[in-house]
Amino acid sequence: MQYLKGIIPIVNTTFREDGSLDLDSQRRLVQHLIGQGVHAIALFGNAGEGYALMESERDELMSAIIREIRGKVPVVVSTGHSGTDAAIQISRAAEIAGADALMILPPSFLKPDSQSIFTYFAAISNAVRIPIMVQDAPLMTQVSMPSSLIARMGRELEHIEYAKIEAPPTAPKITELVTEADGSIAAFGGLNGNFLIEELDRGSQGIMPGSDLCAAFVHIWDLYQNGDRVAARAEFRRYLPLIRYELQPGLGVSVMKHNLAAQGVIACARVRHPTRTLDAIGIREISELRSEITTNIGSV
């Protein structure tokens, strides 16, 4: 039964200047997000630099964050692997650790065809007992998943209940998926919320942005859900320059962390290579973008 809905940020992973995990900042960030009214929290997605974490660090972070949340909101854990057996093992481990749902990319190393993708997700679905979100992100994986395939998985595989659509243009694909799935799968948007309003208009159940603009996204979500689409669009436009800036491939995570550090939420904006780091000009640019946003729901 589908229960995820709303603003579900990908939690940025916090590091010290030396590159080691900063668990104190991580706990502050989680509590900050909960205080801003997010509807769930997701771990180890692209904005969380999951690709740069060691297995032991993933385990440590997952345990610490799930303890910190203490059931206040659902936790979605990004699992999956280039090999199906490994993906099953990682997904089972996340379930045992307390994940409420899984977000899974298709295997991308060998560029599987549609039947291989179906087999991969079927094997994971058969191995776990919690909902699975299919992450459709071809800009990152170079693996295409037509809406018909995702809809089929929603109809035929027990635990496939959600899809995060990041295949541009996202809004038309959400229309296709909602129509073809006929209620068997709920669509979410990604790409840092760049097309939030258009996706909501077409039946999206929410978005999964980074961690730094969640107060704004929650406010926009609330306006839209209360039927004030005009106000939601106006509020979205105020934040759009910064949202757009964060969509730059490889650079958005650094922007998010600098924004969170500027708010005093995390101690350090350190990212791990190959994630790119903002240069001095970029830091000045995002400072100017923040200063141009005036809001009565919190600073950015």
Side-chain angles (χ1 to χ4, degrees), residues 124-144:
I124 300 171
S125 178
N126 290 335
V128 301
R129 294 173 295 175
I130 56 178
I132 294 171
M133 175 182 288
V134 176
Q135 186 175 5
D136 177 30
L139 296 179
M140 177 168 54
T141 64
Q142 302 302 306
V143 174
S144 175

Side-chain angles (χ1 to χ4, degrees), residues 246-265:
E246 290 183 349
L247 195 62
Q248 297 177 85
L251 197 60
V253 176
S254 183
V255 179
M256 294 169 191
K257 287 188 174 183
H258 275 283
N259 287 337
L260 288 165
Q263 296 178 61
V265 178

Side-chain angles (χ1 to χ4, degrees), residues 30-293:
V30 168
Q31 291 300 334
H32 172 75
L33 293 171
I34 292 172
Q36 291 190 323
V38 300
H39 303 95
I41 280 176
L43 309 183
F44 310 136
N46 189 38
E49 295 176 88
Y51 51 80
L53 296 173
M54 290 172 276
E55 185 176 349
S56 60
E57 291 174 324
R58 284 176 57 100
D59 292 343
E60 183 179 9
L61 282 166
M62 186 160 51
S63 176
I65 292 172
I66 289 174
R67 280 200 311 270
E68 189 69 25
I69 291 172
R70 296 190 186 92
K72 294 175 184 175
V73 295
V75 178
V76 182
V77 176
S78 181
T79 60
H81 197 273
S82 56
T84 302
D85 291 344
I88 289 170
Q89 182 180 4
I90 295 168
S91 298
R92 281 176 172 164
E95 179 180 14
I96 292 169
D100 297 292
L102 306 172
M103 181 170 69
I104 303 178
L105 287 163
S108 59
F109 183 77
L110 294 179
K111 303 297 182 286
D113 60 17
S114 289
Q115 185 55 48
S116 292
I117 293 170
F118 185 92
T119 300
Y120 171 85
F121 279 101
I124 300 171
S125 178
N126 290 335
V128 301
R129 294 173 295 175
I130 56 178
I132 294 171
M133 175 182 288
V134 176
Q135 186 175 5
D136 177 30
L139 296 179
M140 177 168 54
T141 64
Q142 302 302 306
V143 174
S144 175
M145 290 192 287
S147 56
S148 58
L149 171 62
I150 300 172
R152 179 192 170 203
M153 291 194 288
R155 291 192 303 269
E156 298 182 19
L157 303 181
E158 180 180 3
H159 297 298
I160 305 294
E161 298 186 20
Y162 306 96
K164 182 184 181 185
I165 302 301
E166 299 184 285
T170 58
K173 188 162 187 177
I174 285 175
T175 295
E176 293 174 3
L177 179 59
V178 169
T179 300
E180 295 179 25
D182 193 26
S184 64
I185 196 162
F188 278 76
L191 297 180
N192 203 39
N194 268 257
F195 303 99
L196 169 60
I197 301 298
E198 293 83 359
E199 292 167 352
L200 290 176
D201 286 345
R202 291 168 179 257
S204 168
Q205 297 302 300
I207 60 162
M208 302 180 75
S211 296
D212 61 324
L213 295 175
C214 287
F217 281 127
V218 168
H219 186 47
I220 295 164
W221 167 265
D222 288 343
L223 288 170
Y224 191 97
Q225 296 304 309
N226 290 331
D228 197 344
R229 183 176 178 277
V230 173
R233 285 182 62 84
E235 188 72 0
F236 178 79
R237 283 195 300 271
R238 294 172 52 222
Y239 290 89
L240 185 55
L242 189 51
I243 293 170
R244 164 187 163 274
Y245 196 99
E246 290 183 349
L247 195 62
Q248 297 177 85
L251 197 60
V253 176
S254 183
V255 179
M256 294 169 191
K257 287 188 174 183
H258 275 283
N259 287 337
L260 288 165
Q263 296 178 61
V265 178
I266 67 175
C268 175
R270 171 75 145 78
V271 297
R272 279 187 178 173
H273 189 268
T275 309
R276 292 186 61 184
T277 300
L278 278 176
D279 59 16
I281 297 173
I283 293 171
R284 187 194 70 218
E285 289 168 343
I286 64 167
S287 176
E288 291 171 350
L289 289 173
R290 289 196 306 267
S291 69
E292 292 170 3
I293 300 171

Side-chain angles (χ1 to χ4, degrees), residues 10 14 23 52 74 77 94 187 296:
I10 307 297
T14 55
L23 294 182
V77 176
N296 59 5

